[in-house]
Amino acid sequence: MGLKTQFSLFAPMKSTTRFLLLTSSLLLLTCATHVTSVTTCPPCGNTTVPFPLSTTATCGDPLYKIRCSSTGTLIFDTLNNSYPIESIDPKTQRLVIQPAPLIPNTCITTDKVHQGIQLNNSLPFNITSSNTIVYLNCTLLLLQSPLNCSSSSLCHSYINATASVSTCQSGPVCCTFRTGGSSTSYMIRVRDVGCSAYSSFVNLDWALPVDRWSRPGLEIQWQSPRETVCGSQTDCDSATSTCREDGFSSNGIRRCFCNGDLLWDPIHGVCTQTQL
Ligand SMILES: *[C@@H]1O[C@H](CO)[C@@H](O)[C@H](O)[C@H]1NC(C)=O
Ligand SMILES: *[C@@H]1O[C@H](CO)[C@@H](O)[C@H](O)[C@H]1NC(C)=O
Ligand SMILES: *[C@@H]1O[C@H](CO)[C@@H](O)[C@H](O)[C@H]1NC(C)=O
Ligand SMILES: *[C@@H]1O[C@H](CO)[C@@H](O)[C@H](O)[C@H]1NC(C)=O
Ligand SMILES: *[C@@H]1O[C@H](CO)[C@@H](O)[C@H](O)[C@H]1NC(C)=O
Ligand SMILES: *[C@@H]1O[C@H](CO)[C@@H](O)[C@H](O)[C@H]1NC(C)=O
Ligand SMILES: *[C@@H]1O[C@H](CO)[C@@H](O)[C@H](O)[C@H]1NC(C)=O
């Protein structure tokens, strides 16, 4: 009888414990989902930070790291330098950075010490083919290059019509080109044996007079993000995805692959019912 009482006392306690454990593990699961599955980053100042761009290790996709400065400006880091982000278009997976300014009273951009804009080619960002680059204060060597460095090159109109680059009028050669070749996918090179300054314009209509050009910018695109990397199922949203080995890579990486008919939506970072 004593044993029975003990047992009956024990049994409800056990199920309470079980209930508590279940509740807390559900809570843990919920927390884990929020931390490790796709979470869009909070705004930086007034600027929305769309997926997969990531301002902290726990939001977005950390491979797509950018920075939010203390003044609420988004910053794009290159290998040795950083540039303010002017705009972001998550639908086209592109962002525009502000090119480096000239060192005052010179025709040398402040990033010449870093050899211009140099992207890390191991990261999922590259320079789009929508940029018109004007190279300023170039050496005569550039006349041998495939760039348009002729006396009718657009860069001359730009220099003539732009007060802020009047220091570049003395440069022996200037050149104009459109990005897009493999040599400009990850860099806009600035150096002594080439050109000492540059500017860049996105989707520039070459027929427009210079006073109607938009402000300088360099457009960069990012690759579509893959499914979120997971260690175990708790890292995935169990309702929509399953943690399993990535068939495309043999290095044992696991990802949250979408369940059933659901499709991975790389724009929003979710498994979704609707066709993209
Ligand atoms: C950001 O938002 C604050 C508060 O709404 C506003 O005062 C400020 O002007 C905004 N800044 C920009 C750059 O839009
Ligand atoms: C043009 O570039 C050269 C080489 O870097 C530099 O010595 C010269 O000062 C530059 N010209 C101007 C006007 O800054
Ligand atoms: C970039 O930084 C690395 C390490 O700090 C340095 O070794 C390299 O020379 C730098 N490159 C340029 C172009 O500044
Ligand atoms: C380039 O990016 C890769 C991948 O994140 C990183 O491992 C590497 O250290 C970066 N290289 C430099 C020079 O910063
Ligand atoms: C250089 O650009 C100018 C202005 O766009 C153009 O008229 C000229 O034909 C170009 N020259 C070469 C060699 O492409
Ligand atoms: C730029 O100005 C120089 C000097 O005034 C002039 O010779 C040249 O024709 C102008 N070039 C263009 C493209 O406006
Ligand atoms: C740049 O990135 C885009 C988008 O991921 C890709 O389609 C393109 O092939 C890349 N270009 C180069 C030269 O790597």
Side-chain angles (χ1 to χ4, degrees), residues 136-196:
L136 309 169
N137 192 13
C138 304
T139 63
L140 296 169
L141 273 178
L142 265 285
L143 295 173
Q144 319 291 321
S145 77
L147 311 183
N148 188 334
C149 307
S150 71
S151 57
S152 61
S153 182
L154 207 54
C155 58
H156 292 287
S157 316
Y158 172 65
I159 294 172
N160 279 12
T162 312
S164 61
V165 298
S166 61
T167 47
C168 296
Q169 267 159 6
S170 63
V173 173
C174 75
C175 311
T176 311
F177 70 101
R178 184 98 170 192
T179 50
S182 58
S183 63
T184 58
S185 287
Y186 299 102
M187 65 177 158
I188 303 297
R189 203 171 212 178
V190 178
R191 50 183 181 157
D192 276 337
V193 295
C195 307
S196 292

Short mmCIF file of all heavy atoms in Angstrom, two decimals, residues 136-196:
data_model
loop_
_atom_site.label_atom_id
_atom_site.label_comp_id
_atom_site.label_asym_id
_atom_site.label_seq_id
_atom_site.Cartn_x
_atom_site.Cartn_y
_atom_site.Cartn_z
N LEU A 136 40.72 58.54 -64.31
CA LEU A 136 41.30 59.88 -64.39
C LEU A 136 42.78 59.85 -64.02
O LEU A 136 43.21 58.97 -63.27
CB LEU A 136 40.55 60.81 -63.42
CG LEU A 136 39.02 60.80 -63.55
CD1 LEU A 136 38.36 61.53 -62.39
CD2 LEU A 136 38.59 61.41 -64.88
N ASN A 137 43.51 60.83 -64.54
CA ASN A 137 44.94 60.95 -64.26
C ASN A 137 45.67 59.63 -64.52
O ASN A 137 46.31 59.05 -63.66
CB ASN A 137 45.14 61.40 -62.79
CG ASN A 137 46.57 61.81 -62.51
OD1 ASN A 137 47.37 62.01 -63.42
ND2 ASN A 137 46.90 61.91 -61.23
N CYS A 138 45.55 59.18 -65.79
CA CYS A 138 46.17 57.90 -66.17
C CYS A 138 47.52 58.17 -66.84
O CYS A 138 47.75 59.26 -67.37
CB CYS A 138 45.28 57.17 -67.17
SG CYS A 138 43.60 56.88 -66.56
N THR A 139 48.38 57.19 -66.87
CA THR A 139 49.66 57.31 -67.56
C THR A 139 49.45 56.99 -69.05
O THR A 139 48.42 56.42 -69.44
CB THR A 139 50.71 56.33 -67.00
OG1 THR A 139 50.23 55.00 -67.23
CG2 THR A 139 50.90 56.55 -65.51
N LEU A 140 50.44 57.35 -69.84
CA LEU A 140 50.36 57.12 -71.29
C LEU A 140 50.24 55.63 -71.63
O LEU A 140 49.76 55.27 -72.70
CB LEU A 140 51.58 57.74 -71.98
CG LEU A 140 51.67 59.27 -71.87
CD1 LEU A 140 53.02 59.78 -72.35
CD2 LEU A 140 50.54 59.93 -72.67
N LEU A 141 50.67 54.79 -70.68
CA LEU A 141 50.56 53.34 -70.89
C LEU A 141 49.13 52.91 -71.21
O LEU A 141 48.90 51.95 -71.93
CB LEU A 141 50.98 52.60 -69.60
CG LEU A 141 52.45 52.27 -69.40
CD1 LEU A 141 52.64 51.61 -68.05
CD2 LEU A 141 52.92 51.36 -70.53
N LEU A 142 48.17 53.65 -70.65
CA LEU A 142 46.77 53.28 -70.83
C LEU A 142 46.32 53.39 -72.29
O LEU A 142 45.33 52.79 -72.69
CB LEU A 142 45.88 54.15 -69.93
CG LEU A 142 45.49 53.58 -68.56
CD1 LEU A 142 44.42 52.50 -68.72
CD2 LEU A 142 46.68 53.01 -67.81
N LEU A 143 47.09 54.18 -73.08
CA LEU A 143 46.73 54.32 -74.48
C LEU A 143 46.85 52.98 -75.21
O LEU A 143 46.24 52.78 -76.26
CB LEU A 143 47.63 55.38 -75.16
CG LEU A 143 47.43 56.81 -74.64
CD1 LEU A 143 48.46 57.75 -75.23
CD2 LEU A 143 46.01 57.30 -74.93
N GLN A 144 47.62 52.06 -74.63
CA GLN A 144 47.76 50.71 -75.22
C GLN A 144 46.64 49.78 -74.76
O GLN A 144 46.55 48.65 -75.23
CB GLN A 144 49.10 50.06 -74.78
CG GLN A 144 50.30 50.98 -74.76
CD GLN A 144 50.71 51.39 -76.17
OE1 GLN A 144 50.67 50.58 -77.09
NE2 GLN A 144 51.08 52.65 -76.33
N SER A 145 45.83 50.22 -73.84
CA SER A 145 44.83 49.33 -73.26
C SER A 145 43.59 49.28 -74.13
O SER A 145 43.41 50.13 -75.02
CB SER A 145 44.43 49.85 -71.88
OG SER A 145 43.56 50.95 -72.02
N PRO A 146 42.73 48.33 -73.91
CA PRO A 146 41.49 48.28 -74.69
C PRO A 146 40.46 49.33 -74.25
O PRO A 146 39.40 49.45 -74.87
CB PRO A 146 40.97 46.86 -74.43
CG PRO A 146 41.61 46.43 -73.16
CD PRO A 146 42.90 47.17 -73.03
N LEU A 147 40.76 50.09 -73.20
CA LEU A 147 39.82 51.11 -72.75
C LEU A 147 39.78 52.26 -73.75
O LEU A 147 40.73 52.47 -74.49
CB LEU A 147 40.23 51.64 -71.37
CG LEU A 147 40.55 50.60 -70.30
CD1 LEU A 147 40.86 51.29 -68.98
CD2 LEU A 147 39.42 49.61 -70.14
N ASN A 148 38.68 53.03 -73.71
CA ASN A 148 38.58 54.18 -74.60
C ASN A 148 39.25 55.39 -73.94
O ASN A 148 38.68 56.04 -73.09
CB ASN A 148 37.11 54.47 -74.92
CG ASN A 148 36.97 55.55 -75.98
OD1 ASN A 148 37.85 56.39 -76.15
ND2 ASN A 148 35.84 55.54 -76.68
N CYS A 149 40.51 55.62 -74.35
CA CYS A 149 41.29 56.73 -73.80
C CYS A 149 41.54 57.80 -74.87
O CYS A 149 42.47 58.59 -74.77
CB CYS A 149 42.61 56.21 -73.24
SG CYS A 149 42.43 54.83 -72.08
N SER A 150 40.71 57.78 -75.90
CA SER A 150 40.90 58.74 -76.99
C SER A 150 40.51 60.14 -76.54
O SER A 150 39.92 60.33 -75.48
CB SER A 150 40.04 58.33 -78.19
OG SER A 150 38.67 58.56 -77.89
N SER A 151 40.83 61.13 -77.39
CA SER A 151 40.52 62.51 -77.01
C SER A 151 39.02 62.77 -77.04
O SER A 151 38.54 63.76 -76.51
CB SER A 151 41.26 63.47 -77.93
OG SER A 151 40.89 63.19 -79.27
N SER A 152 38.28 61.85 -77.67
CA SER A 152 36.82 62.03 -77.68
C SER A 152 36.14 61.21 -76.57
O SER A 152 34.92 61.18 -76.47
CB SER A 152 36.26 61.60 -79.04
OG SER A 152 36.56 60.24 -79.25
N SER A 153 36.95 60.54 -75.76
CA SER A 153 36.38 59.69 -74.69
C SER A 153 35.49 60.51 -73.75
O SER A 153 35.77 61.68 -73.46
CB SER A 153 37.51 59.03 -73.90
OG SER A 153 36.99 58.19 -72.90
N LEU A 154 34.45 59.91 -73.29
CA LEU A 154 33.46 60.55 -72.43
C LEU A 154 34.07 61.19 -71.18
O LEU A 154 33.56 62.17 -70.64
CB LEU A 154 32.47 59.46 -72.00
CG LEU A 154 31.04 59.82 -71.64
CD1 LEU A 154 30.38 60.61 -72.76
CD2 LEU A 154 30.27 58.53 -71.37
N CYS A 155 35.19 60.64 -70.72
CA CYS A 155 35.82 61.15 -69.50
C CYS A 155 36.19 62.63 -69.64
O CYS A 155 36.17 63.36 -68.65
CB CYS A 155 37.04 60.32 -69.13
SG CYS A 155 38.29 60.24 -70.42
N HIS A 156 36.50 63.06 -70.87
CA HIS A 156 36.86 64.47 -71.06
C HIS A 156 35.66 65.38 -70.80
O HIS A 156 35.78 66.41 -70.15
CB HIS A 156 37.41 64.71 -72.48
CG HIS A 156 38.75 64.06 -72.70
ND1 HIS A 156 39.90 64.54 -72.14
CD2 HIS A 156 39.09 62.94 -73.40
CE1 HIS A 156 40.92 63.76 -72.49
NE2 HIS A 156 40.45 62.78 -73.25
N SER A 157 34.49 64.99 -71.31
CA SER A 157 33.28 65.77 -71.04
C SER A 157 33.01 65.82 -69.54
O SER A 157 32.61 66.84 -68.99
CB SER A 157 32.07 65.14 -71.72
OG SER A 157 32.37 64.76 -73.02
N TYR A 158 33.21 64.67 -68.89
CA TYR A 158 32.98 64.59 -67.44
C TYR A 158 33.89 65.56 -66.70
O TYR A 158 33.44 66.34 -65.85
CB TYR A 158 33.19 63.15 -66.97
CG TYR A 158 33.17 62.99 -65.47
CD1 TYR A 158 32.00 63.24 -64.74
CD2 TYR A 158 34.32 62.60 -64.77
CE1 TYR A 158 31.97 63.10 -63.36
CE2 TYR A 158 34.30 62.47 -63.39
CZ TYR A 158 33.13 62.71 -62.69
OH TYR A 158 33.11 62.59 -61.33
N ILE A 159 35.19 65.52 -67.03
CA ILE A 159 36.15 66.40 -66.35
C ILE A 159 35.81 67.87 -66.62
O ILE A 159 35.77 68.68 -65.70
CB ILE A 159 37.59 66.09 -66.82
CG1 ILE A 159 38.01 64.68 -66.39
CG2 ILE A 159 38.57 67.13 -66.25
CD1 ILE A 159 39.33 64.22 -66.98
N ASN A 160 35.49 68.17 -67.88
CA ASN A 160 35.20 69.56 -68.23
C ASN A 160 33.98 70.10 -67.49
O ASN A 160 33.94 71.27 -67.14
CB ASN A 160 34.93 69.69 -69.74
CG ASN A 160 36.21 69.75 -70.55
OD1 ASN A 160 37.29 69.49 -70.01
ND2 ASN A 160 36.11 70.10 -71.82
N ALA A 161 33.00 69.24 -67.27
CA ALA A 161 31.73 69.73 -66.73
C ALA A 161 31.58 69.55 -65.23
O ALA A 161 30.55 69.88 -64.66
CB ALA A 161 30.59 69.00 -67.44
N THR A 162 32.61 69.01 -64.57
CA THR A 162 32.45 68.68 -63.15
C THR A 162 33.49 69.42 -62.31
O THR A 162 34.68 69.10 -62.33
CB THR A 162 32.59 67.15 -62.95
OG1 THR A 162 31.76 66.49 -63.90
CG2 THR A 162 32.16 66.74 -61.55
N ALA A 163 33.00 70.40 -61.55
CA ALA A 163 33.91 71.24 -60.76
C ALA A 163 34.72 70.41 -59.76
O ALA A 163 35.91 70.66 -59.56
CB ALA A 163 33.10 72.30 -60.02
N SER A 164 34.08 69.39 -59.18
CA SER A 164 34.76 68.63 -58.12
C SER A 164 35.95 67.81 -58.64
O SER A 164 36.76 67.33 -57.86
CB SER A 164 33.77 67.72 -57.40
OG SER A 164 33.23 66.80 -58.32
N VAL A 165 36.07 67.65 -59.96
CA VAL A 165 37.23 66.93 -60.49
C VAL A 165 38.10 67.84 -61.37
O VAL A 165 38.86 67.36 -62.21
CB VAL A 165 36.85 65.64 -61.27
CG1 VAL A 165 36.13 64.65 -60.35
CG2 VAL A 165 36.00 65.95 -62.49
N SER A 166 37.99 69.14 -61.15
CA SER A 166 38.77 70.08 -61.97
C SER A 166 40.27 69.83 -61.83
O SER A 166 41.04 70.11 -62.74
CB SER A 166 38.42 71.52 -61.60
OG SER A 166 38.75 71.74 -60.25
N THR A 167 40.68 69.29 -60.71
CA THR A 167 42.10 68.97 -60.50
C THR A 167 42.57 67.90 -61.48
O THR A 167 43.78 67.71 -61.64
CB THR A 167 42.32 68.41 -59.08
OG1 THR A 167 41.32 67.44 -58.82
CG2 THR A 167 42.26 69.50 -58.04
N CYS A 168 41.63 67.21 -62.13
CA CYS A 168 42.03 66.14 -63.04
C CYS A 168 42.26 66.63 -64.47
O CYS A 168 42.64 65.85 -65.33
CB CYS A 168 40.97 65.04 -63.02
SG CYS A 168 40.84 64.23 -61.41
N GLN A 169 42.02 67.93 -64.72
CA GLN A 169 42.22 68.46 -66.06
C GLN A 169 43.67 68.35 -66.51
O GLN A 169 43.96 68.22 -67.69
CB GLN A 169 41.77 69.93 -66.12
CG GLN A 169 40.33 70.05 -66.57
CD GLN A 169 39.71 71.37 -66.17
OE1 GLN A 169 40.37 72.26 -65.64
NE2 GLN A 169 38.42 71.50 -66.41
N SER A 170 44.59 68.38 -65.52
CA SER A 170 46.01 68.33 -65.86
C SER A 170 46.50 66.90 -66.16
O SER A 170 47.58 66.73 -66.68
CB SER A 170 46.83 68.90 -64.70
OG SER A 170 46.64 68.08 -63.56
N GLY A 171 45.69 65.92 -65.83
CA GLY A 171 46.12 64.53 -66.04
C GLY A 171 46.39 64.27 -67.50
O GLY A 171 45.65 64.76 -68.36
N PRO A 172 47.45 63.54 -67.84
CA PRO A 172 47.79 63.33 -69.24
C PRO A 172 46.72 62.56 -70.01
O PRO A 172 46.45 62.88 -71.17
CB PRO A 172 49.11 62.55 -69.19
CG PRO A 172 49.21 62.01 -67.80
CD PRO A 172 48.41 62.91 -66.92
N VAL A 173 46.12 61.57 -69.41
CA VAL A 173 45.19 60.70 -70.13
C VAL A 173 44.01 60.39 -69.21
O VAL A 173 44.18 60.25 -68.00
CB VAL A 173 45.88 59.36 -70.53
CG1 VAL A 173 44.88 58.38 -71.13
CG2 VAL A 173 47.04 59.62 -71.49
N CYS A 174 42.82 60.31 -69.79
CA CYS A 174 41.69 59.76 -69.04
C CYS A 174 40.99 58.75 -69.93
O CYS A 174 41.17 58.77 -71.16
CB CYS A 174 40.74 60.86 -68.57
SG CYS A 174 39.68 61.56 -69.85
N CYS A 175 40.26 57.85 -69.35
CA CYS A 175 39.67 56.75 -70.11
C CYS A 175 38.26 56.45 -69.60
O CYS A 175 37.92 56.78 -68.46
CB CYS A 175 40.50 55.46 -69.97
SG CYS A 175 42.27 55.68 -70.25
N THR A 176 37.49 55.81 -70.46
CA THR A 176 36.12 55.44 -70.09
C THR A 176 35.91 53.99 -70.48
O THR A 176 36.38 53.55 -71.54
CB THR A 176 35.11 56.32 -70.86
OG1 THR A 176 35.50 57.69 -70.74
CG2 THR A 176 33.70 56.13 -70.32
N PHE A 177 35.21 53.23 -69.65
CA PHE A 177 34.83 51.88 -70.05
C PHE A 177 33.64 51.42 -69.24
O PHE A 177 33.30 51.99 -68.20
CB PHE A 177 36.00 50.90 -69.91
CG PHE A 177 36.39 50.57 -68.48
CD1 PHE A 177 35.97 49.37 -67.90
CD2 PHE A 177 37.16 51.44 -67.73
CE1 PHE A 177 36.34 49.06 -66.60
CE2 PHE A 177 37.53 51.14 -66.43
CZ PHE A 177 37.12 49.94 -65.85
N ARG A 178 33.03 50.40 -69.77
CA ARG A 178 31.90 49.78 -69.10
C ARG A 178 32.41 48.50 -68.45
O ARG A 178 33.15 47.75 -69.08
CB ARG A 178 30.86 49.46 -70.18
CG ARG A 178 29.60 48.89 -69.67
CD ARG A 178 28.54 49.97 -69.52
NE ARG A 178 27.28 49.28 -69.25
CZ ARG A 178 26.10 49.87 -69.28
NH1 ARG A 178 26.00 51.14 -69.55
NH2 ARG A 178 25.02 49.18 -69.01
N THR A 179 32.03 48.26 -67.19
CA THR A 179 32.46 47.04 -66.50
C THR A 179 31.82 45.83 -67.17
O THR A 179 30.89 45.96 -67.95
CB THR A 179 32.07 47.07 -65.02
OG1 THR A 179 30.69 47.41 -64.92
CG2 THR A 179 32.91 48.08 -64.26
N GLY A 180 32.28 44.65 -66.82
CA GLY A 180 31.67 43.45 -67.38
C GLY A 180 32.66 42.37 -67.73
O GLY A 180 32.35 41.20 -67.66
N GLY A 181 33.89 42.74 -68.07
CA GLY A 181 34.89 41.71 -68.34
C GLY A 181 35.28 41.01 -67.06
O GLY A 181 35.02 41.52 -65.96
N SER A 182 35.91 39.84 -67.18
CA SER A 182 36.28 39.10 -65.97
C SER A 182 37.30 39.89 -65.14
O SER A 182 37.38 39.74 -63.93
CB SER A 182 36.85 37.73 -66.34
OG SER A 182 37.95 37.91 -67.19
N SER A 183 38.08 40.78 -65.80
CA SER A 183 39.09 41.52 -65.05
C SER A 183 38.48 42.58 -64.15
O SER A 183 39.14 43.10 -63.25
CB SER A 183 40.08 42.17 -66.02
OG SER A 183 39.40 43.11 -66.81
N THR A 184 37.20 42.93 -64.39
CA THR A 184 36.59 43.94 -63.53
C THR A 184 35.50 43.35 -62.63
O THR A 184 34.75 44.08 -62.00
CB THR A 184 35.97 45.08 -64.35
OG1 THR A 184 35.01 44.53 -65.25
CG2 THR A 184 37.02 45.85 -65.12
N SER A 185 35.43 42.02 -62.55
CA SER A 185 34.39 41.41 -61.71
C SER A 185 34.62 41.67 -60.24
O SER A 185 33.67 41.72 -59.47
CB SER A 185 34.36 39.90 -61.93
OG SER A 185 33.81 39.63 -63.16
N TYR A 186 35.87 41.77 -59.85
CA TYR A 186 36.19 41.92 -58.44
C TYR A 186 37.04 43.14 -58.13
O TYR A 186 37.41 43.35 -56.99
CB TYR A 186 36.87 40.65 -57.91
CG TYR A 186 36.00 39.43 -58.04
CD1 TYR A 186 36.21 38.51 -59.07
CD2 TYR A 186 34.96 39.20 -57.15
CE1 TYR A 186 35.39 37.40 -59.20
CE2 TYR A 186 34.14 38.10 -57.28
CZ TYR A 186 34.36 37.19 -58.31
OH TYR A 186 33.54 36.11 -58.45
N MET A 187 37.42 43.93 -59.15
CA MET A 187 38.22 45.11 -58.81
C MET A 187 38.14 46.24 -59.83
O MET A 187 37.93 46.03 -61.02
CB MET A 187 39.68 44.72 -58.61
CG MET A 187 40.36 44.20 -59.84
SD MET A 187 42.08 43.86 -59.42
CE MET A 187 42.48 42.71 -60.70
N ILE A 188 38.28 47.46 -59.28
CA ILE A 188 38.47 48.65 -60.09
C ILE A 188 39.83 49.16 -59.63
O ILE A 188 39.98 49.72 -58.55
CB ILE A 188 37.38 49.71 -59.81
CG1 ILE A 188 35.97 49.14 -60.07
CG2 ILE A 188 37.64 50.96 -60.66
CD1 ILE A 188 35.70 48.71 -61.50
N ARG A 189 40.84 48.86 -60.45
CA ARG A 189 42.21 49.05 -60.00
C ARG A 189 42.70 50.49 -60.17
O ARG A 189 42.50 51.10 -61.22
CB ARG A 189 43.10 48.12 -60.82
CG ARG A 189 44.38 47.78 -60.17
CD ARG A 189 45.02 46.69 -60.98
NE ARG A 189 45.81 45.81 -60.13
CZ ARG A 189 46.42 44.75 -60.61
NH1 ARG A 189 46.33 44.43 -61.89
NH2 ARG A 189 47.14 44.00 -59.81
N VAL A 190 43.35 51.00 -59.15
CA VAL A 190 43.92 52.35 -59.16
C VAL A 190 45.37 52.23 -58.70
O VAL A 190 45.64 51.65 -57.64
CB VAL A 190 43.13 53.27 -58.19
CG1 VAL A 190 43.74 54.66 -58.14
CG2 VAL A 190 41.67 53.37 -58.59
N ARG A 191 46.30 52.72 -59.51
CA ARG A 191 47.72 52.56 -59.15
C ARG A 191 48.61 53.45 -60.01
O ARG A 191 48.19 53.95 -61.06
CB ARG A 191 48.15 51.09 -59.31
CG ARG A 191 47.75 50.52 -60.65
CD ARG A 191 48.11 49.06 -60.78
NE ARG A 191 47.72 48.57 -62.10
CZ ARG A 191 48.24 47.52 -62.70
NH1 ARG A 191 49.20 46.84 -62.09
NH2 ARG A 191 47.84 47.14 -63.88
N ASP A 192 49.86 53.62 -59.59
CA ASP A 192 50.80 54.51 -60.26
C ASP A 192 50.97 54.19 -61.74
O ASP A 192 51.00 55.11 -62.56
CB ASP A 192 52.19 54.41 -59.59
CG ASP A 192 52.27 55.33 -58.38
OD1 ASP A 192 51.49 56.31 -58.33
OD2 ASP A 192 53.11 55.08 -57.50
N VAL A 193 51.10 52.92 -62.09
CA VAL A 193 51.35 52.59 -63.49
C VAL A 193 50.08 52.61 -64.34
O VAL A 193 50.14 52.39 -65.53
CB VAL A 193 52.03 51.19 -63.64
CG1 VAL A 193 53.41 51.22 -63.00
CG2 VAL A 193 51.16 50.10 -63.04
N GLY A 194 48.95 52.87 -63.70
CA GLY A 194 47.68 52.95 -64.45
C GLY A 194 47.06 54.31 -64.27
O GLY A 194 47.57 55.30 -64.77
N CYS A 195 45.98 54.37 -63.54
CA CYS A 195 45.29 55.62 -63.28
C CYS A 195 45.25 55.87 -61.77
O CYS A 195 45.20 54.92 -60.99
CB CYS A 195 43.86 55.55 -63.83
SG CYS A 195 43.81 55.05 -65.57
N SER A 196 45.25 57.15 -61.40
CA SER A 196 45.31 57.47 -59.98
C SER A 196 43.96 57.84 -59.38
O SER A 196 43.85 58.07 -58.18
CB SER A 196 46.29 58.62 -59.74
OG SER A 196 47.60 58.15 -60.02
#
